[in-house]
Amino acid sequence: MRLIDLSVPLATGMPVYPGDPRVTIAPALSVATDGVNVLHLDMGSQSGTHVDAPFHIDDALPTLDRLPLERFWGRAVVVDARGAEPRTPLGPSLFEGRLRAGAIVLVATGWSRHWGHDDYLAHPYLTPEAAELLVDAGIRTVGIDALSVDATPADDLPAHRILCGAHAVIAENLTGLDPLLDAQTAGEPIEVSLLPLRLPAADGAPVRAVARVG
């Protein structure tokens, strides 16, 4: 058994979704002057590797604390979309025959290699039809190694609306999915933890995403 970190590090000035709060991390207390080290964190709820609750796109949908913990931890299926070109829509054919109800579906686009660069915004994204297929297959947790499951920038968020409308959880800005694809090809079981900070009435929260393989 081995653990694989699927999270980007939190740091001052790190990439954020256009218009989201910037991330600033600085010392608040120090051992030299206060006897302890404490950091001050200033960031949005969608910073770094994070999960979206359905409330993210509709006030009438469940907040983060209203979702069952099972949404954030379970067996994973990794779908290989690494051959996709910039801004490519990922349709239903990518997922057909690869899903099982209740699984966490991770979409590996390989786009995490562009983290920190302008190209990161030109990521592949899910079509509404793909999102509908996932919901109809009983999937309630979807993750992607890109900035969003929808295009960036976007006038609307159709994949978000379909997934969140089914009370699904969306994990974004994952990284390091290549080893999971290798493990899956080798027949190894994969379990993923996407447990968020416990923020009452929240639209989402950063996570330390971790996979357990084997």
Side-chain angles (χ1 to χ4, degrees):
M1 187 272 290
R2 62 190 187 279
L3 299 178
I4 299 174
D5 198 336
L6 308 178
S7 313
V8 297
L10 293 171
T12 296
M14 67 187 290
V16 296
Y17 192 87
D20 275 14
R22 305 296 297 177
V23 175
T24 303
I25 302 175
L29 303 174
S30 69
V31 170
T33 59
D34 306 291
V36 292
N37 287 316
V38 175
L39 288 174
H40 176 92
L41 310 179
D42 190 356
M43 65 182 70
S45 56
Q46 306 278 321
S47 298
T49 304
H50 66 274
V51 292
D52 296 350
F55 180 73
H56 180 48
I57 54 91
D58 192 323
D59 289 345
L61 293 174
T63 55
L64 192 64
D65 55 332
R66 304 280 295 183
L67 296 170
L69 289 176
E70 288 78 9
R71 290 280 196 277
F72 307 101
W73 192 343
R75 293 290 293 271
V77 172
V78 191
V79 177
D80 192 352
R82 291 175 296 179
E85 295 295 324
R87 303 192 187 282
T88 298
L90 304 175
S93 61
L94 182 69
F95 302 94
E96 289 171 350
R98 304 182 186 185
L99 307 177
R100 60 174 183 271
I104 293 175
V105 172
L106 304 180
V107 184
T109 68
W111 226 252
S112 56
R113 69 185 182 275
H114 299 299
W115 176 255
H117 301 278
D118 290 344
D119 288 346
Y120 193 62
L121 275 66
H123 58 85
Y125 57 92
L126 301 185
T127 64
E129 294 79 12
E132 290 280 9
L133 176 69
L134 290 164
V135 167
D136 291 345
I139 303 302
R140 293 299 180 268
T141 308
V142 178
I144 192 167
D145 57 349
L147 189 57
S148 175
V149 293
D150 283 295
T152 304
D155 295 328
D156 192 17
L157 301 170
H160 274 83
R161 295 193 182 282
I162 292 165
L163 294 170
C164 291
H167 296 190
V169 167
I170 301 169
E172 294 165 326
N173 290 328
L174 296 169
T175 191
L177 297 185
D178 286 358
L180 302 192
L181 284 166
D182 295 339
Q184 183 172 262
T185 299
E188 296 183 87
I190 302 168
E191 189 175 68
V192 174
S193 169
L194 302 169
L195 293 170
L197 298 176
R198 191 172 184 178
L199 294 176
D203 59 281
V207 305
R208 181 71 179 267
V210 176
R212 182 169 70 178
V213 176

